[in-house]
Amino acid sequence: MIRRLQTKDIDIVAQIWLTANREAHDFVPAEYWENNFTPVKAMLLQAEVYVCEDEKSNEIRGFIGLEDEYIAGVFVRKEIRSKGTGKALLDYVKEIKRELTLHVYVKNERAVRFYQREGFQILKKMTDDATGEEEYLMGWKRNHTPMTK
């Protein structure tokens, strides 16, 4: 089940953010993510965030954060990656947004392939000022207008 982030979720979601960033971005020093943990945790409560919760256990499997049409990140617990959680979160926001953009590190090849498979195109290659790493700006646009009743 996908739902809006609630205050009670923040500790779990922030921990998923930290762990997933360390694992997926091992080319960025772990201290970078650890130093940003507290500010990101505070920002998550102010942002448009949706969590994917297991309906049986009520465990949060992952989340997606948005700033208007910009995806700030998709984060999924390591043990359940490649099992549909990220796709479900992305599909959810594709239903409520007409277009989406995001940044992804070039070295995060798994994520680049995932976004391309989901219809995102590379728009531009650039350098992330905070880490010095190369990244892509990727974009997606809905091909059709949803039918209205």
Side-chain angles (χ1 to χ4, degrees):
M1 169 182 77
I2 296 176
R3 61 170 176 78
R4 193 81 187 241
L5 174 78
Q6 298 170 2
T7 305
K8 67 180 177 71
D9 305 323
I10 194 60
D11 289 334
I12 293 162
V13 166
Q15 193 58 52
I16 292 171
W17 176 87
L18 180 61
T19 304
N21 272 313
R22 281 194 206 137
E23 293 165 353
H25 308 121
D26 59 358
F27 46 87
V28 174
E31 297 81 33
Y32 174 79
W33 306 113
E34 292 157 7
N35 291 340
N36 283 289
F37 180 77
T38 301
V40 166
K41 188 173 177 180
M43 288 185 329
L44 285 168
L45 287 170
Q46 306 303 317
E48 182 179 0
V49 177
Y50 299 95
V51 299
C52 182
E53 184 177 65
D54 183 275
E55 293 185 31
K56 294 176 185 163
S57 67
N58 293 332
E59 178 184 66
I60 295 176
R61 303 168 61 89
F63 72 96
I64 189 167
L66 299 167
E67 295 173 29
D68 297 317
E69 279 76 38
Y70 178 76
I71 297 175
V74 178
F75 302 92
V76 178
R77 290 178 185 266
K78 182 177 184 174
E79 63 274 13
I80 55 171
R81 285 189 201 134
S82 299
K83 293 185 173 29
T85 300
K87 179 174 175 28
L89 288 161
L90 205 51
D91 286 348
Y92 183 84
V93 298
K94 282 178 171 180
E95 287 296 316
I96 59 175
K97 304 289 183 179
R98 290 184 165 281
E99 57 186 304
L100 295 162
T101 58
L102 58 88
H103 287 94
V104 61
Y105 290 116
V106 172
K107 289 180 182 174
N108 191 351
E109 295 172 3
R110 182 177 177 169
V112 173
R113 285 192 307 271
F114 167 72
Y115 291 122
Q116 287 176 320
R117 198 169 52 243
E118 295 304 314
F120 283 76
Q121 296 180 349
I122 295 171
L123 304 175
K124 186 163 78 170
K125 189 175 186 179
M126 53 210 323
T127 301
D128 176 20
D129 292 335
T131 63
E133 290 290 331
E134 286 188 318
E135 63 182 356
Y136 293 126
L137 171 64
M138 298 184 78
W140 168 88
K141 286 185 181 179
R142 186 181 300 143
N143 290 333
H144 66 283
T145 305
M147 294 181 62
T148 55
K149 294 182 180 180

